[in-house]
Structures are given as C-alpha cells and as structure tokens.
Amino acid sequence: MIPPGETIGILGGGQLGRMLAMAAAQLGYRCHIFAPEPDSIAADVSAAFTCAEWDDAAALARFSADCAVITYEFENVPVAPLGALGDALLLPGANALEVAQDRLSEKTFVTALGGTPAPFAAVDNRADLDAAIARIGAPGILKTRRDGYDGKGQWRIKSAADADTLPESLFARPLVYEGFVDFDAEFSVILCRNVAGDVRFWDSPENRHDGGILARSTVPAGRKVARQVGKARAIARAIADKLDYVGVLTCEFFATRASDPHGPVFNEMAPRVHNSGHWTIEGAITSQFENHVRAICGLPLGDTRLAAKGAVMDNLIGDAAHDWPAILSDPSNHLHLYGKAAARPGRKMGHVTRLILE
Ligand code: AMP
C-alpha cells in the first residue's frame, strides 16, 4: 500500500493527467508529471514536472527515484525506454501498453480471449490491401497500426477502386484494414481492477462521435446498448485478468443490430482513464480518476454506481470552449476547462456534465 503523502508519477502531461492529479491531490498524494512538451496542463496542477524526451534515460531514472508508483495517461508512451524506471512500480504494466499501441496485436489479443473485432487484415503494401479488400469486402477502413487517435490515421475505403486514390507513401508504415461495422450505437466499458484482481464497472455510456472525435457520452445508455453490455463486460474483464491489470481500463464497442448474434463488436482498448468516463466525476459515487489512484496505490476501491439517475457529458472541442459564460449561466452545468492556451479546431478544450436528477 502506498499511503497518502507519497508521490505518484504520471507519464504524459494532458487533461487526463490533470484530472488524475486533481483526484490524487484530494487523497493527499503529490504528483510528478513526465512529458516532452514544455506546456503541460497536468504539470500546472502538480507538485513537480520533468520535461524531457521519452528516451531520456537519465531523466526517467531521476523521475522514478522521486515516485512511489508510476502510471500513464497516454498510451503511446514508447515502451523500450521504460526499463530505465528502476524500482518504482509501473501500473498498469508495460504489457498493457504493448498490446494497446498496435491495432493488430490488440485485435489478435482480443480475438484469442473470445472477443469479436471487425474482420481485419494486416496491410504492409498495396498488394496486401487488394487482398484484404477481396477477402473482407468494402466498405472498410484502412488504419495506421500505431499512433492513431480521434479518427486520425484513418482512410475510408468505399469500394475496391478507392485503393487507387491512396498515395504510395501511405504504405511506408504498418497498416491494418478492417471491415466497416454497420452499428446501431457505440459504447464503452470502463472498469477498475485492483492488485487483488477485484473488478468494478461503471455504467456503460453510449458514445456519439463527430468526425472520429467523441462528442457526447450518456448514461444510462439506451436499450440497443444495454442488451450488449453483459457480453462486452465479460470481454473487458478477460482482457484485464489476462494482463494482470491494475487501474482503470476502457474498451470501446459497437452495439450491433438485435438480429446479429455475434455482437457487440470490439473496436479498441485504452489502458487508462478515458474521455467517455469524464461524467463519473459528478455522475458516479467514485470517479474513474479517483478509483485509478486508489487502485495503483493499493487503497480500497470506491463505489462505482451512479450518483444520480443519469448524466450527459458534452466535449468542448476547439472554439466551443469560448462559450463558457453561456454554459455557466445554467446553474446545473458542471464546467471543466483544461487550461489549454490555443483553441485549435478538433482540440479537446474542456467538457460539460449535466446530471439527470429525475
Ligand atoms: P477509432 O479511432 O478506431 O476508435 O475510430 C474512431 C471512430 O471511427 C469510431 O468511434 C467509429 O465512430 C468510427 N469507426 C472506426 N472504425 C470503424 C469501423 N470498423 N466501422 C465503422 N465505424 C468505425
């Protein structure tokens, strides 16, 4: 057990690290942020900040010497340099990063555990793509295996002829082609697992994306989602158990039509707290951020049940954050602004949560 007063290291300096650090502070911990970007909104609310590249072994060693436990808020932290972390615990472990960083290994891993991703094929060149389209069919989506997020690194393929429009340079990196899922709704399973292997789930939010970016999460989800949550939870729990995972794990799913016996379709996992769980700050008895801190520090987990009848979380993307005066004029809105300097299009600047009370 790591008692309050100790220091938690966080790899990554964005809004997830910021909200983790705020939850940690509530429990009496200090946080130390490690991130390559000098303007870290997580460091703004933390006790210490190391600004260094991911492969700076000396900086990582100094950082870990200050921390009782280290976690991450960003799943694309390069794994190889983490060997320099020394004796501090890394939770969740590097094995979760390894699986989640590569869409191909993620889908293969989940399939072996009985999950159902969209039909997929590895693509390393144009001939592979033609073969993948011939086997899986079109429409489909070609995705980079690594470093994609918020719909970036994705190309829609409406028909086999679309492959001719792709630049040859695209094939310089490993890709994966997946069949397009005709889904009824999207949802996520957010769980927290402690060192002893106990698992708690939050209510599954129904998620609406706009242009590949999460726009709104709603709990409770509608019937189309609710009927597939049980199977999705079983897969998410199997993933967490197999990885001997400690902390919050998120798995995103597509709810398929009631007539489809194979649903839900697994989309992807994030070995961390997740945007679709931000509603838990006010909408659940214990938030995803607090329970992640409790899990990695070996404290008892808090209750994950709803604290109201439901909740709706809207992301504030780009200029939408400038509407904060209007948002605050409704006294029931919970406004969260992340303190980012520039409101670029597509950038997550904050979110608003409204509780459903009756
Ligand atoms: P991802 O970054 O893979 O989660 O993709 C972002 C969003 O694109 C998802 O939340 C879906 O709305 C959509 N999407 C991704 N993959 C598929 C697919 N195979 N079929 C249908 N929609 C998809």
Side-chain angles (χ1 to χ4, degrees), residues 12-14 18 33-35 37-46 49 338-339:
R18 179 181 174 97
I33 306 296
F34 187 107
E37 305 81 25
D39 51 346
S40 163
I41 54 169
D44 285 347
V45 301
S46 295
F49 180 31
Y338 305 147

Side-chain angles (χ1 to χ4, degrees), residues 30-348:
R30 305 169 70 244
C31 283
H32 186 156
I33 306 296
F34 187 107
E37 305 81 25
D39 51 346
S40 163
I41 54 169
D44 285 347
V45 301
S46 295
F49 180 31
T50 297
C51 179
E53 295 302 323
W54 295 120
D55 59 359
D56 184 336
L60 274 172
R62 276 196 307 277
F63 164 74
S64 79
D66 183 44
C67 301
V69 61
I70 296 172
T71 191
Y72 40 87
E73 61 101 66
F74 172 63
E75 72 266 37
N76 291 319
V77 174
V79 173
L82 297 181
L85 285 182
D87 291 339
L89 290 170
L90 179 69
L91 292 174
N95 58 347
L97 283 177
E98 263 160 349
V99 170
Q101 281 178 356
D102 181 337
R103 290 187 189 274
L104 190 66
S105 52
E106 179 178 85
K107 291 177 197 299
T108 309
F109 181 79
V110 168
T111 305
L113 293 173
T116 314
F120 65 96
V123 171
D124 290 319
N125 51 50
R126 175 60 202 269
D128 286 350
L129 178 60
D130 291 341
I133 296 174
R135 179 167 71 79
I136 293 167
I141 308 187
L142 186 62
K143 299 181 177 180
T144 54
R145 276 171 60 176
R146 292 180 163 272
D147 295 329
Y149 68 97
D150 286 349
K152 293 189 179 70
Q154 302 192 2
W155 297 268
R156 301 259 166 139
I157 308 281
K158 292 200 194 69
S159 68
D162 273 3
D164 292 330
T165 64
L166 299 171
E168 193 57 36
S169 57
L170 204 72
F171 299 98
R173 59 205 135 161
L175 303 162
V176 59
Y177 179 75
E178 58 183 67
F180 198 82
V181 180
D182 180 23
F183 56 80
D184 247 1
E186 293 189 68
F187 67 101
S188 42
V189 170
I190 311 169
L191 65 77
C192 189
R193 186 177 184 276
N194 68 11
V195 182
D198 300 328
V199 171
R200 294 195 184 207
F201 296 96
W202 281 271
D203 276 62
S204 268
E206 184 161 339
N207 302 323
R208 187 169 57 72
H209 291 79
D210 257 344
I213 305 177
L214 182 67
R216 167 173 285 195
S217 291
T218 306
V219 281
R223 276 201 357 260
K224 291 170 182 171
V225 167
R227 65 174 173 240
Q228 298 198 345
V229 166
K231 274 173 85 177
R233 282 186 174 183
I235 294 299
R237 184 195 286 267
I239 293 170
D241 287 344
K242 185 79 183 167
L243 293 170
D244 205 9
Y245 194 92
V246 177
V248 171
L249 171 73
T250 307
C251 295
E252 294 184 82
F253 291 89
F254 301 120
T256 49
R257 312 241 174 255
S259 56
D260 178 355
H262 304 298
V265 171
F266 170 90
N267 178 22
E268 62 180 354
M269 62 184 264
R272 54 167 170 78
V273 288
H274 194 260
N275 194 168
S276 65
H278 290 359
W279 64 270
T280 62
I281 296 174
E282 296 88 6
I285 293 171
T286 314
S287 78
Q288 60 168 351
F289 302 102
E290 179 174 341
N291 258 352
H292 186 78
V293 170
R294 288 180 181 227
I296 64 171
C297 291
L299 305 182
L301 297 182
D303 192 341
T304 48
R305 281 176 303 170
L306 285 171
K309 283 219 160 121
V312 180
M313 188 277 328
D314 285 312
N315 266 340
L316 299 173
I317 312 277
D319 282 343
H322 293 147
D323 294 337
W324 62 264
I327 294 166
L328 285 178
S329 70
D330 179 340
S332 57
N333 282 337
H334 291 280
L335 174 67
H336 297 253
L337 294 174
Y338 305 147
K340 294 183 184 177
R344 288 194 296 274
R347 197 170 194 211
K348 291 174 178 170

